[in-house]
Amino acid sequence: MFFLGARWLRFLVAAILVIAAVSLVLVRGLPSVNNSYAVNPYPTDEIALPLRVGDRPPPLPGVTFAPYPTIITFWATWCAPCEVEMPILQRQFEDLAVRVIGVNTAETATHTDLQAWLAARGITFEIITDRDGAIARAYGAGRALPVTVFLDREGVIQFAWAGALPEWEIRRWTWWIAAR
């Protein structure tokens, strides 16, 4: 019988693992890496945003974007991630003097309930109500809330996201648009 010491056994196991990994790469290929900040990180049509970095967004009623760095957020009172994101956006509005516009969409609450919801959370930035969902559809925000769009001082889209953003990501993009 052939006897292998512990050292040879470890070498044999390592060699088998390396061969398996190389075989896997040869069969499936290397994973693709996309380091660009895509506007739509999701491949599905359900939450695909029609917005592109470098484009101007669809107009909002009575709003001129330039010359202010602007954050537009689509939200609803029933949306749990929106409830987390709204106070973060309020702090950006207060601390960095960026313009924040909240577009309340897909809402079932009355105007009084909406005002009470905002007051209870200390939200003082501009709110637009989108009862028929026309604005949300123009921005592609119909299926996923929140949707957050960051515009530079020229009113050009710098970043857009469907779904909740962590606070550090909101801060990073707010600094980006404020500094441009």
Side-chain angles (χ1 to χ4, degrees), residues 51 56-60 65 72 135 138-139 157:
L51 310 172
R56 296 202 181 273
L60 290 177
F65 297 123
I72 304 168
I135 300 169
Y139 278 77
I157 297 170

Side-chain angles (χ1 to χ4, degrees), residues 62-82:
V63 174
T64 304
F65 297 123
Y68 310 103
T70 304
I71 302 170
I72 304 168
T73 184
F74 290 84
W75 66 282
T77 57
W78 50 261
C79 167
C82 300

Side-chain angles (χ1 to χ4, degrees), residues 109-172:
T110 66
H111 180 73
T112 306
D113 291 341
L114 182 62
Q115 294 303 318
W117 191 94
L118 294 167
R121 288 151 186 85
I123 306 300
T124 60
F125 54 78
E126 185 177 352
I127 300 294
I128 296 173
T129 356
D130 182 26
R131 292 277 180 213
D132 64 357
I135 300 169
R137 281 190 300 279
Y139 278 77
R143 296 201 180 218
L145 291 179
V147 168
T148 311
V149 183
F150 294 82
L151 309 175
D152 66 14
R153 293 177 193 282
E154 304 299 318
V156 175
I157 297 170
Q158 296 300 312
F159 183 69
W161 189 267
L165 279 171
E167 184 168 0
W168 67 267
E169 191 80 50
I170 292 172
R171 285 181 179 195
R172 181 173 81 126

Side-chain angles (χ1 to χ4, degrees), residues 2 5 21 30 35 37 45 52 55 57 73-74 76 91 93-94 96 104 113 131 135 147 149 151 166 168 171 178:
F2 185 74
L30 290 172
N35 288 330
Y37 284 98
D45 291 335
R52 298 288 174 249
D55 288 350
T73 184
F74 290 84
R91 285 193 296 276
F93 170 67
E94 293 168 355
L96 293 176
N104 179 259
D113 291 341
R131 292 277 180 213
I135 300 169
V147 168
V149 183
L151 309 175
W168 67 267
R171 285 181 179 195

Side-chain angles (χ1 to χ4, degrees), residues 88-104:
I88 298 168
L89 293 170
Q90 177 66 33
R91 285 193 296 276
Q92 301 307 297
F93 170 67
E94 293 168 355
D95 297 346
L96 293 176
V98 295
R99 185 176 191 183
V100 179
I101 301 169
V103 180
N104 179 259

